[in-house]
Structure formats: structure tokens, C-alpha cells
Amino acid sequence: QVQLMESGGGLVQPGGSLRLSCAASGSIFSFYAMGWYRQAPGKQRELVERISGSMTNYGDSVKGRFTISRGNAKNTVYLQMNSLRPEDTAVYYCSADSPGGVWYWGQGTQVTVSS
């Protein structure tokens, strides 16, 4: 069983930065994809960034501002968020998915961008 634990959320002013971390425990392997999704109130969950091997997918709204990376042990994933905007306010979820299509989710961490 895979468990994902996010950390690093909080309140930040517009233009500021935050770094989210996600640690996976259990049977997660280096060939699992890992990523970040977010959900704002009244909106659907959307892709932020996802990394699978050497490939990265990202949502258009974060292009050039957010960067995903994976730890050397491959069971951690980070999201560096720069130039934050109020519209980035959401609950951010860590994800992991296997090549067979099994998905795992963290409980989420709140990011609020406000002055």
C-alpha cells in the first residue's frame, strides 16, 4: 500500500514562492510517475505538473513559474512554485501512478496566495 504525505503549504503574498514536498511510503518504485494536482473551491481538480521518467507534463497556467523535481531516492517529489498569483490558491495534492494505471493520492496541502 502506498501512502503519500504532502508538506510545505501555507500563506504567501502575490509574487512570492513556496516549495511543496511529498514523501511516499510503501511499495513505490522509481518507474512510478509522480505529480501534483490542485483543486480550487468550486472547480475541478487539475494537473499542475507530473513527472514520468524524463518526461514532464504541466498545466498551461503554471508554465515557466512552477518546477517539479524528484528526489534521488525516487520516493519524494517536490514542487517549486515561484511568482505565485492569487489564482494559484487551492488545495495541492500529491499523486503517484503505476504503469498499470493504479493511482494514489495524498490528503492535500492548502496554498493560499493573498496580500
Side-chain angles (χ1 to χ4, degrees):
Q1 185 69 21
V2 174
Q3 292 184 323
L4 305 175
M5 181 64 69
E6 304 101 335
S7 61
L11 173 64
V12 63
Q13 292 187 342
S17 299
L18 278 177
R19 188 186 193 218
L20 304 183
S21 300
C22 174
S25 60
S27 301
I28 187 163
F29 305 100
S30 60
F31 49 81
Y32 276 47
M34 294 189 74
W36 293 93
Y37 290 73
R38 68 186 182 186
Q39 187 166 18
K43 295 187 176 182
Q44 291 186 332
R45 190 173 296 189
E46 64 175 3
L47 170 69
V48 178
E49 287 200 64
R50 176 178 174 269
I51 185 167
S52 178
S54 60
M55 295 183 60
T56 302
N57 303 102
Y58 52 85
D60 288 340
S61 63
V62 305
K63 183 180 179 181
R65 299 188 298 123
F66 292 9
T67 304
I68 192 170
S69 61
R70 233 168 140 162
N72 291 334
K74 304 301 182 186
N75 63 341
T76 54
V77 66
Y78 306 97
L79 185 68
Q80 179 66 43
M81 304 186 293
N82 298 326
S83 302
L84 283 160
R85 305 167 180 169
E87 53 265 38
D88 294 318
T89 295
V91 177
Y92 284 69
Y93 296 92
C94 178
S95 70
D97 61 285
S98 74
V102 179
W103 284 76
Y104 303 92
W105 297 93
Q107 292 191 333
T109 184
Q110 177 70 45
V111 172
T112 302
V113 185
S114 175
S115 55

